[in-house]
Amino acid sequence: MTRAVLHVDMDAFYASVEKHDDPSLAGKPLIVGGVAGRGVVAAASYEVRKYGVHSAMPMSTALRLCPHAVCVRPRMQRYKEVSDQIFGVFHEITPLVQGLSLDEAFLDVTASQDLFGDGVAIARRIKARIREITGLTASVGVATNKLVAKIASDLSKPDGLTIVPEDRIRATLDPLSVRRLPGLGRKTGAKVEAAGIRTFGELRIASDRVLRPLFGRYTERVRERAAGIDDRPVLPDHDEKSLSSEDTFPRDIGDPRILQAELTRLAGLACERLRRKQLVAGCIGVKIRRADFVTFTRQRAVAPPTHDGRTIANVARELLARWLAGARGAKLRLLGVVLTDLSPASQLGLFEDTPPHTSRLDAALDEARARFGSGALRRGNTIK
């Protein structure tokens, strides 16, 4: 039986939910996002995208591009409710569902074809069920692997259905811009184009001499991706890869003392989520965004992995202090704490050396915040 993988991507999900719930918004250029201060675009309807507005753009920039756009605040609980309905449709077909976000997932429907028909028939069934239950449209790519299915789902939006059989992979991918390669990134994409490589086909046949300065040890993998080769399975129990807490400040901050207090507060919030999920982190990082939007990251591995708030905050503060020492006078608009290399806390007993009183303090903080809110109790070093 031919392997069949679907990538389902809801069309302008947040904006589409808002238009469904408020029909007066139909046909209007709609932006979902923060509407004051340092707000950013969470979602943009197709009507506003033609003005150059896209997600993650500062709201001030979006409104300069489209001054007559209608702006609404995100309603995350509502989006989660609709997402649950959509994923319910997926699970009617197969248990092999790998969610990537509230509005996007991979499905391996290979074993479902005897019951529901081939991959194309299943894709049509899913699109129809989503529209019936939620009133929304989805774009679906059908292929024999995850990479090609994901690319295919973006080729005919909105409400698209694109099928790429095994024997048509190169014919489909070769003419596409390298910018469509998932994970390439904007900066790397620009470097690849500057090297004279503009399409998947050119990337697939490019020499090591051209590619190695760009991709190093990942050269052969990138070449395989350009050829549509991908043997990754659909992982229904997709483990969480990272956990973070970040904040965009109402005004740029240059005072190191205030920045360190903010970072300590964010570390506490990230640690609370880490313990709630019963995970430990083996790598601690900070995300630093200057007033000019240039973003930096710094990270450090820790052994043994930990969920101790004091340990994580101390490492994060040291990483920030080292960055600030080389960027004196810099003002920041955003700070974040990023925890990666996550593993179950059940393994902690094998190597944990966190002092018992520290664990008890973290537990007391977690309990107080759960009962009275995240601002109910704070460590002294988070007070500015």
Side-chain angles (χ1 to χ4, degrees):
M1 183 181 295
T2 302
R3 188 184 185 211
V5 176
L6 275 55
H7 180 258
V8 183
D9 191 11
M10 299 302 297
D11 299 319
F13 182 53
Y14 295 176
S16 296
V17 172
E18 295 298 338
K19 291 191 174 190
H20 174 270
D21 291 355
D22 183 357
S24 71
L25 296 173
K28 295 181 179 178
L30 177 65
I31 298 174
V32 179
V35 295
R38 294 289 179 82
V40 297
V41 177
S45 71
Y46 288 98
E47 292 86 354
V48 80
R49 291 183 189 185
K50 64 184 181 182
Y51 294 94
V53 177
H54 56 78
S55 61
M57 173 181 285
M59 185 65 76
S60 57
T61 303
L63 291 177
R64 281 200 300 271
L65 293 171
C66 185
H68 59 286
V70 179
C71 302
V72 298
R73 292 184 181 277
R75 297 183 296 152
M76 295 309 301
Q77 185 57 42
R78 174 58 177 154
Y79 308 147
K80 179 64 167 58
E81 291 172 359
V82 179
S83 175
D84 288 344
Q85 294 177 306
I86 293 165
F87 275 75
V89 171
F90 299 158
H91 284 283
E92 292 175 1
I93 302 296
T94 176
L96 299 179
V97 178
Q98 179 179 337
L100 305 178
S101 61
L102 290 179
D103 61 336
E104 183 182 5
F106 287 113
L107 288 72
D108 188 329
V109 299
T110 306
S112 303
Q113 295 179 90
D114 285 341
L115 186 60
F116 298 109
D118 64 12
V120 179
I122 292 173
R124 290 193 175 115
R125 180 188 182 98
I126 287 173
K127 285 169 58 68
R129 287 285 287 151
I130 289 175
R131 187 188 289 270
E132 175 189 352
I133 293 172
T134 69
L136 306 179
T137 63
S139 293
V140 183
V142 184
T144 55
N145 65 56
K146 291 166 66 173
L147 173 74
V148 179
K150 183 173 176 63
I151 294 170
S153 69
D154 196 44
L155 295 181
S156 180
K157 275 182 161 288
D159 199 17
L161 173 57
T162 303
I163 304 99
V164 184
E166 184 77 26
D167 60 359
R168 293 287 302 164
I169 288 178
R170 287 192 179 180
T172 302
L173 297 189
D174 275 1
L176 299 180
S177 165
V178 292
R179 300 285 186 138
R180 288 188 179 270
L181 184 63
L184 187 63
R186 185 172 58 185
K187 290 183 178 179
T188 304
K191 291 179 181 178
V192 172
E193 290 180 336
I197 301 171
R198 298 192 173 275
T199 68
F200 273 64
E202 293 170 348
L203 183 59
R204 176 172 58 81
I205 64 174
S207 67
D208 282 358
R209 180 181 59 81
V210 175
L211 295 185
R212 286 207 172 273
L214 296 169
F215 301 109
R217 60 193 177 98
Y218 298 107
T219 293
E220 190 54 37
R221 182 182 300 178
V222 170
R223 190 180 281 117
E224 289 179 352
R225 295 292 189 263
I229 299 171
D230 180 17
D231 59 1
R232 295 173 300 160
V234 173
L235 302 173
D237 298 318
H238 186 53
D239 293 334
E240 192 160 11
K241 299 298 183 184
S242 66
L243 190 153
S244 64
S245 180
E246 64 181 49
D247 198 8
T248 300
F249 308 132
R251 296 182 180 83
D252 300 330
I253 298 176
D255 186 331
R257 183 175 54 84
I258 297 176
L259 290 170
Q260 291 288 10
E262 290 289 345
L263 192 69
T264 301
R265 176 180 64 83
L266 293 168
L269 294 175
C271 289
E272 180 187 352
R273 292 177 55 204
L274 194 69
R275 292 189 292 267
R276 190 164 63 241
K277 293 175 179 287
Q278 298 184 323
L279 297 170
V280 290
C283 186
I284 300 165
V286 294
K287 179 178 177 181
I288 303 163
R289 181 168 295 159
R290 288 192 320 217
D292 59 2
F293 288 90
V294 176
T295 302
F296 304 84
T297 58
R298 297 292 185 270
Q299 62 183 24
R300 177 188 300 169
V302 292
T306 184
H307 58 196
D308 173 52
R310 183 171 296 180
T311 300
I312 290 174
N314 285 344
V315 172
R317 285 199 301 267
E318 184 176 344
L319 292 171
L320 176 62
R322 289 189 176 187
W323 186 88
L324 289 172
R328 296 191 181 279
K331 291 189 175 183
L332 306 186
R333 63 178 286 117
L334 176 147
L335 269 179
V337 174
V338 183
L339 307 178
T340 56
D341 194 11
L342 306 185
S343 57
S346 58
Q347 300 176 10
L348 209 55
L350 299 175
F351 38 64
E352 176 64 289
D353 58 1
T354 300
H357 73 277
T358 303
S359 298
R360 289 196 298 270
L361 175 58
D362 284 334
L365 285 169
D366 291 348
E367 182 178 357
R369 288 166 177 161
R371 292 182 61 188
F372 305 113
S374 60
L377 206 57
R378 299 172 62 183
R379 293 180 183 269
N381 55 1
T382 69
I383 301 173
K384 302 182 283 292

